Amino acid sequence: MSPSGRSAGLTAFVATMLALVLVAASLIIGRATAGPDLLPSTRSAEAGFARDMQIHHDQAVEMSMIVRDLTDSPDIRLLAYDIATSQSQQAGQMFGWLATWGLPQSSPEPAMTWMHRPLPSGESHVHGVPDATSEVPEAMPGMATRAQLEELKTLRGVAAERMFLRLMIAHHEGGIDMADALLQRSGYPVVTDLAGSIAKAQQSEIQLMEDLLAERQ
């Protein structure tokens, strides 16, 4: 990895650790005052979102670190750096939620199960588990395949930029779907606040990436 890649990786790691410490501290205070009955359960939408979005974010960070070593474009490198640092920090927040809620980082059920349960009826939020479930997809929305990531590593310059932008646009669209699904199923403020900011930021980045892709056609 190049010095710039190592530097970005270190920055992302530091951001993640700082976010984890700050979020854990704030949630511990909230837990002490709110009581355990108000915390999300392990099969709740909040816990499922925290687990699955960490995995989703981790791939965005991976793609961003890959493309930074494949291009000299300042615009692409800056975009990749912004995605890597912001999503590392957010992943650290979600790790902190689960730790503070006393829940395991791994899910007791398939990924995305929470997203495909029926919406709660007549409730502003839900921390429990509806009885019925719909079919759960085999992959998270917007995730690149391992074959696509390996192909990206073989490219350089504009070709790498094009593939990165296409993959990341689809990735962000999937992330927005996940954030919107959480917002429809939860009223837990710390979680809905982050989900809303994720949806807003990623929609803005999609527009930027579409513009950058159009410049490279």
Side-chain angles (χ1 to χ4, degrees), residues 25-35 39 188:
S26 64
L27 289 177
I28 287 170
I29 293 172
R31 183 173 185 171
T33 57
L39 297 176
Y188 202 83

Side-chain angles (χ1 to χ4, degrees), residues 10 34 55 65 72 79 88 95 121 136 160 183 191-192 196-197 204:
L10 179 60
I55 295 171
M65 300 307 293
D72 294 325
L79 172 65
S88 291
F95 184 98
S121 176
V136 179
L183 291 170
V191 183
T192 57
S197 67
S204 176

Side-chain angles (χ1 to χ4, degrees), residues 91-196:
Q93 288 181 264
M94 291 180 279
F95 184 98
W97 294 344
L98 292 166
T100 306
W101 296 338
L103 301 179
Q105 295 294 328
S106 59
S107 177
E109 54 195 2
M112 307 310 303
T113 299
W114 66 273
M115 187 173 169
H116 294 271
R117 289 192 172 105
L119 293 174
S121 176
E123 298 180 12
S124 61
H125 63 277
V126 59
H127 303 309
V129 184
D131 293 334
T133 60
S134 57
E135 184 177 355
V136 179
E138 294 183 359
M140 294 182 190
M143 290 283 278
T145 65
R146 181 49 52 184
Q148 288 173 322
L149 295 181
E150 292 303 318
E151 180 183 355
L152 176 61
K153 293 177 183 178
T154 68
L155 304 176
R156 295 292 184 275
V158 174
E161 295 164 15
R162 289 195 194 107
M163 186 169 189
F164 168 76
L165 290 168
R166 293 189 183 105
L167 291 177
M168 194 61 79
I169 288 170
H171 200 272
H172 273 23
E173 289 171 345
I176 291 171
D177 287 346
M178 292 169 67
D180 287 344
L182 182 281
L183 291 170
Q184 292 176 321
R185 289 164 171 79
S186 176
Y188 202 83
V190 68
V191 183
T192 57
D193 286 351
L194 181 60

Side-chain angles (χ1 to χ4, degrees), residues 162 165 169 207-217:
R162 289 195 194 107
L165 290 168
I169 288 170
Q207 183 58 61
L208 170 61
M209 289 189 288
E210 288 176 342
D211 293 343
L212 291 172
L213 185 57
E215 294 172 2
R216 288 160 173 78
Q217 300 299 345

Side-chain angles (χ1 to χ4, degrees), residues 52-115:
D52 291 342
M53 191 60 89
Q54 281 187 72
I55 295 171
H56 207 266
H57 275 17
D58 286 347
Q59 189 183 81
V61 173
E62 179 183 6
M63 286 195 288
S64 296
M65 300 307 293
I66 289 172
V67 80
R68 277 178 57 86
D69 287 337
L70 304 178
T71 177
D72 294 325
S73 167
D75 291 337
I76 299 297
R77 288 176 60 82
L78 179 59
L79 172 65
Y81 175 82
D82 287 345
I83 290 173
T85 53
S86 64
Q87 296 207 17
S88 291
Q89 182 183 43
Q90 291 166 357
Q93 288 181 264
M94 291 180 279
F95 184 98
W97 294 344
L98 292 166
T100 306
W101 296 338
L103 301 179
Q105 295 294 328
S106 59
S107 177
E109 54 195 2
M112 307 310 303
T113 299
W114 66 273
M115 187 173 169

